[in-house]
Amino acid sequence: LDSDEKNCERIKTPLIVEVDNGPVSSCADEILNKRGVVIIPDLYANAGGVTVSYFEWVQNLQQFKWPESEINEKLEQKMVNAFNEVYAVKENKKIPMRIASFMVAIDRVSTAYALREG
Protein backbone atom coordinates (compact mmCIF):
# COMPACT_ATOMS: atom_id res chain seq x y z
CA LEU A 1 0.00 0.00 0.00
CA ASP A 2 1.23 3.52 -0.73
CA SER A 3 1.04 6.26 1.90
CA ASP A 4 -2.34 7.56 0.61
CA GLU A 5 -3.91 4.14 0.92
CA LYS A 6 -2.43 3.62 4.40
CA ASN A 7 -3.70 7.00 5.57
CA CYS A 8 -7.11 6.43 4.01
CA GLU A 9 -7.52 3.15 5.88
CA ARG A 10 -7.13 5.01 9.18
CA ILE A 11 -9.77 7.65 8.39
CA LYS A 12 -13.07 6.75 10.06
CA THR A 13 -15.00 10.01 9.62
CA PRO A 14 -17.87 10.33 7.12
CA LEU A 15 -16.95 13.96 6.35
CA ILE A 16 -13.75 15.90 5.66
CA VAL A 17 -13.65 19.68 5.28
CA GLU A 18 -10.48 20.87 3.57
CA VAL A 19 -9.28 24.05 5.22
CA ASP A 20 -5.94 24.17 3.45
CA ASN A 21 -5.17 24.41 -0.24
CA GLY A 22 -5.41 20.89 -1.66
CA PRO A 23 -4.68 18.86 1.50
CA VAL A 24 -6.26 15.67 0.15
CA SER A 25 -4.26 14.20 -2.72
CA SER A 26 -6.09 13.13 -5.86
CA CYS A 27 -5.35 9.48 -5.04
CA ALA A 28 -6.71 9.83 -1.50
CA ASP A 29 -9.68 11.80 -2.85
CA GLU A 30 -10.57 8.92 -5.14
CA ILE A 31 -10.15 6.27 -2.42
CA LEU A 32 -12.18 8.21 0.14
CA ASN A 33 -14.96 9.03 -2.33
CA LYS A 34 -15.29 5.34 -3.20
CA ARG A 35 -15.69 4.66 0.53
CA GLY A 36 -18.49 7.23 0.69
CA VAL A 37 -16.56 9.89 2.61
CA VAL A 38 -17.90 13.33 1.70
CA ILE A 39 -15.06 15.79 1.14
CA ILE A 40 -15.94 19.47 1.23
CA PRO A 41 -13.24 20.86 -1.06
CA ASP A 42 -11.00 23.80 -0.23
CA LEU A 43 -12.54 25.68 -3.15
CA TYR A 44 -15.76 25.95 -1.15
CA ALA A 45 -14.43 25.80 2.42
CA ASN A 46 -12.15 28.81 1.85
CA ALA A 47 -14.74 30.90 0.00
CA GLY A 48 -15.97 32.74 3.10
CA GLY A 49 -12.89 34.94 3.37
CA VAL A 50 -13.00 35.81 -0.31
CA THR A 51 -16.72 36.60 -0.05
CA VAL A 52 -16.20 38.95 2.90
CA SER A 53 -13.38 40.65 0.97
CA TYR A 54 -15.90 41.26 -1.82
CA PHE A 55 -18.34 42.73 0.72
CA GLU A 56 -15.57 45.09 1.91
CA TRP A 57 -14.89 46.14 -1.68
CA VAL A 58 -18.60 46.87 -2.24
CA GLN A 59 -18.76 48.90 0.97
CA ASN A 60 -15.70 50.91 -0.06
CA LEU A 61 -17.21 51.66 -3.47
CA GLN A 62 -20.43 52.86 -1.87
CA GLN A 63 -18.56 54.66 0.94
CA PHE A 64 -20.50 53.17 3.82
CA LYS A 65 -20.12 50.44 6.37
CA TRP A 66 -22.47 47.55 7.10
CA PRO A 67 -22.82 46.36 10.69
CA GLU A 68 -21.03 43.08 11.45
CA SER A 69 -24.38 41.33 11.95
CA GLU A 70 -25.40 42.25 8.39
CA ILE A 71 -22.10 41.01 6.96
CA ASN A 72 -22.49 37.72 8.84
CA GLU A 73 -26.07 37.38 7.58
CA LYS A 74 -25.05 38.08 3.97
CA LEU A 75 -22.11 35.66 4.27
CA GLU A 76 -24.28 32.89 5.66
CA GLN A 77 -26.82 33.37 2.89
CA LYS A 78 -24.12 33.24 0.17
CA MET A 79 -22.36 30.21 1.68
CA VAL A 80 -25.57 28.23 2.26
CA ASN A 81 -26.79 28.97 -1.26
CA ALA A 82 -23.41 27.99 -2.75
CA PHE A 83 -23.31 24.76 -0.73
CA ASN A 84 -26.84 23.84 -1.77
CA GLU A 85 -26.02 24.49 -5.43
CA VAL A 86 -22.85 22.38 -5.32
CA TYR A 87 -24.52 19.61 -3.31
CA ALA A 88 -27.42 19.46 -5.78
CA VAL A 89 -24.97 18.96 -8.67
CA LYS A 90 -23.13 16.29 -6.63
CA GLU A 91 -26.37 14.41 -5.98
CA ASN A 92 -27.86 14.83 -9.47
CA LYS A 93 -24.71 13.79 -11.30
CA LYS A 94 -23.52 11.26 -8.66
CA ILE A 95 -20.07 12.88 -8.53
CA PRO A 96 -17.74 14.00 -5.72
CA MET A 97 -18.15 17.46 -4.18
CA ARG A 98 -14.82 18.60 -5.64
CA ILE A 99 -15.94 17.93 -9.22
CA ALA A 100 -19.36 19.45 -8.51
CA SER A 101 -17.62 22.57 -7.15
CA PHE A 102 -15.55 22.88 -10.31
CA MET A 103 -18.63 22.39 -12.49
CA VAL A 104 -20.55 25.13 -10.66
CA ALA A 105 -17.55 27.49 -10.81
CA ILE A 106 -16.96 26.88 -14.52
CA ASP A 107 -20.66 27.38 -15.25
CA ARG A 108 -20.61 30.71 -13.40
CA VAL A 109 -17.55 31.92 -15.31
CA SER A 110 -19.07 30.76 -18.59
CA THR A 111 -22.33 32.56 -17.84
CA ALA A 112 -20.52 35.77 -16.86
CA TYR A 113 -18.42 35.60 -20.03
CA ALA A 114 -21.51 35.06 -22.21
CA LEU A 115 -23.27 38.02 -20.58
CA ARG A 116 -20.29 40.27 -21.29
CA GLU A 117 -20.11 39.15 -24.91
CA GLY A 118 -23.88 39.42 -25.45
Side-chain angles (χ1 to χ4, degrees):
L1 295 177
D2 70 15
S3 63
D4 282 334
E5 290 174 295
K6 288 177 190 174
N7 287 336
C8 289
E9 286 179 359
R10 296 190 317 228
I11 294 173
K12 304 297 182 210
T13 185
L15 175 70
I16 295 173
V17 179
E18 294 183 324
V19 293
D20 194 4
N21 294 327
V24 177
S25 72
S26 58
C27 180
D29 194 60
E30 185 177 338
I31 293 167
L32 292 168
N33 276 300
K34 284 181 183 173
R35 283 192 25 216
V37 176
V38 175
I39 301 170
I40 306 297
D42 54 350
L43 178 69
Y44 171 79
N46 294 325
V50 174
T51 303
V52 171
S53 291
Y54 166 75
F55 293 161
E56 290 173 353
W57 177 74
V58 169
Q59 291 175 87
N60 287 336
L61 284 177
Q62 297 175 353
Q63 298 185 357
F64 68 87
K65 184 176 180 181
W66 297 326
E68 183 179 348
S69 60
E70 187 174 348
I71 292 171
N72 289 337
E73 184 180 305
K74 289 176 183 297
L75 177 61
E76 181 176 353
Q77 181 182 14
K78 288 278 188 195
M79 295 301 291
V80 168
N81 289 344
F83 178 85
N84 289 338
E85 185 177 0
V86 170
Y87 195 80
V89 171
K90 171 205 180 310
E91 290 293 299
N92 289 337
K93 305 253 185 221
K94 308 274 189 259
I95 56 175
M97 287 286 288
R98 182 176 322 283
I99 295 170
S101 293
F102 289 143
M103 289 177 73
V104 169
I106 290 168
D107 183 58
R108 286 181 182 177
V109 170
S110 173
T111 299
Y113 185 77
L115 288 172
R116 283 185 178 200
E117 292 295 312

